[in-house]
Amino acid sequence: MSRQSNPTKNISHQLYEILKYRIIKLEYEPSTYLKEENIAKEFNISRTPIREAMRELRNDLLLEFNKGNLVTPVSLDTYAKIFTMREHLELLSVKLATLNWADSDIALLEENIAKQKQLIFQKEYNPKIFTDLDREFHWLLVKTSKNNFLEKDLMKYYNLFARYNYLCGFEKRKDYAVSEHEIILNMLKARDIILAEAKMKDHLKNINGNILLLIANKI
């Protein structure tokens, strides 16, 4: 018997992706409620796929149920926990990437860094676009690790971390971020696991320090 597609499941997944994007990009602000009736009206769909999408977002910890579907609040304590998990997993990913990269992986990372450099020298610098390129660089490293279990876990923490990144912006750390990305890539290309991990640890430390300086004024 051939499998038939489930229209409701497809709709719920598409809605899940849209809502996730809006939460991560802060289009839905932390500590605000997502109301089923508003979403049903906007997308002209029934409540069933909406509830399925909401359930997935709660599994991702982007929503929590508190007298309704609440966009997860941001806090210093939550940020610290997210960063700890991201750091632990990302250091593993860079070690694996150093061992497992192929020429095609390096080409994609070099292309990403070239885009970063081009952007920061533009007259009208857009920090949100740079934040997207930064996220892409780190995700390319994870893909280069060739470990799909690690990919799944890190994506969860990247999404949680991204809200703090977009909240704080990339205005003050764009220049050194590009330089650090390039150094990490060079260590990768040399297949130097020890230095690649050390440079990533330094890079994450700088990211963390910058966000902690800014976040108190944003929350």
Side-chain angles (χ1 to χ4, degrees):
M1 182 182 294
S2 62
R3 291 186 179 182
Q4 295 182 345
S5 61
N6 184 330
T8 301
K9 189 72 175 177
N10 291 339
I11 293 169
S12 69
H13 180 72
Q14 292 172 26
L15 180 64
Y16 160 76
E17 291 292 344
I18 292 169
L19 299 181
K20 179 175 69 175
Y21 177 89
R22 292 180 180 182
I23 292 171
I24 290 170
K25 293 294 184 84
L26 305 180
E27 292 178 25
Y28 293 139
E29 295 183 2
S31 301
T32 58
Y33 284 96
L34 297 190
K35 296 184 178 180
E36 289 183 11
E37 57 267 31
N38 293 343
I39 294 170
K41 184 177 180 180
E42 179 183 355
F43 293 97
N44 192 27
I45 56 177
S46 68
R47 298 292 182 92
T48 300
I50 295 172
R51 288 168 183 162
E52 179 63 30
M54 297 286 198
R55 184 159 46 247
E56 290 299 312
L57 291 166
R58 290 196 297 271
N59 288 340
D60 290 343
L61 304 181
L62 292 169
L63 286 182
E64 58 183 56
F65 193 81
N66 183 0
K67 299 179 181 178
N69 288 294
L70 183 75
V71 178
T72 304
V74 294
S75 71
L76 279 170
D77 179 63
T78 301
Y79 168 77
K81 292 173 181 175
I82 293 167
F83 178 79
T84 297
M85 293 303 299
R86 175 186 171 173
E87 181 182 41
H88 175 73
L89 293 171
E90 192 149 22
L91 290 175
L92 174 58
S93 82
V94 79
K95 286 195 290 186
L96 293 175
T98 306
L99 290 171
N100 296 326
W101 64 259
D103 289 344
S104 57
D105 300 313
I106 298 299
L108 289 172
L109 286 161
E110 288 177 337
E111 181 183 352
N112 173 274
I113 288 176
K115 289 178 182 177
Q116 291 179 41
K117 288 180 176 179
Q118 183 180 31
L119 181 64
I120 65 174
F121 291 119
Q122 286 181 0
K123 185 176 180 181
E124 305 217 348
Y125 166 72
N126 188 322
K128 287 192 174 182
I129 294 177
F130 190 89
T131 303
D132 290 339
L133 286 171
D134 173 78
R135 177 182 168 90
E136 181 185 78
F137 175 83
H138 285 267
W139 184 241
L140 286 170
L141 283 176
V142 180
K143 297 292 286 183
T144 303
S145 76
K146 308 294 194 290
N147 186 315
N148 60 313
F149 297 104
L150 181 60
E151 287 179 29
K152 183 178 179 181
D153 285 344
L154 249 174
M155 177 53 78
K156 177 179 179 178
Y157 293 105
Y158 277 163
N159 288 338
L160 293 169
F161 189 90
R163 294 201 303 156
Y164 293 87
N165 231 353
Y166 285 111
L167 186 68
C168 293
F170 238 105
E171 192 63 48
K172 294 184 178 179
R173 56 193 176 99
K174 60 182 185 298
D175 297 324
Y176 77 71
V178 176
S179 175
E180 290 171 359
H181 289 165
E182 200 158 29
I183 291 169
I184 291 167
L185 178 56
N186 288 336
M187 295 304 101
L188 214 71
K189 290 161 73 174
R191 296 204 188 271
D192 191 325
I193 295 175
I194 293 174
L195 277 180
E197 183 182 17
K199 294 303 180 182
M200 177 59 82
K201 193 172 184 67
D202 288 343
H203 179 54
L204 293 173
K205 181 180 178 181
N206 288 336
I207 292 171
N208 187 44
N210 188 272
I211 288 180
L212 287 175
L213 283 173
L214 294 171
I215 200 170
N217 297 321
K218 301 281 186 176
I219 295 177

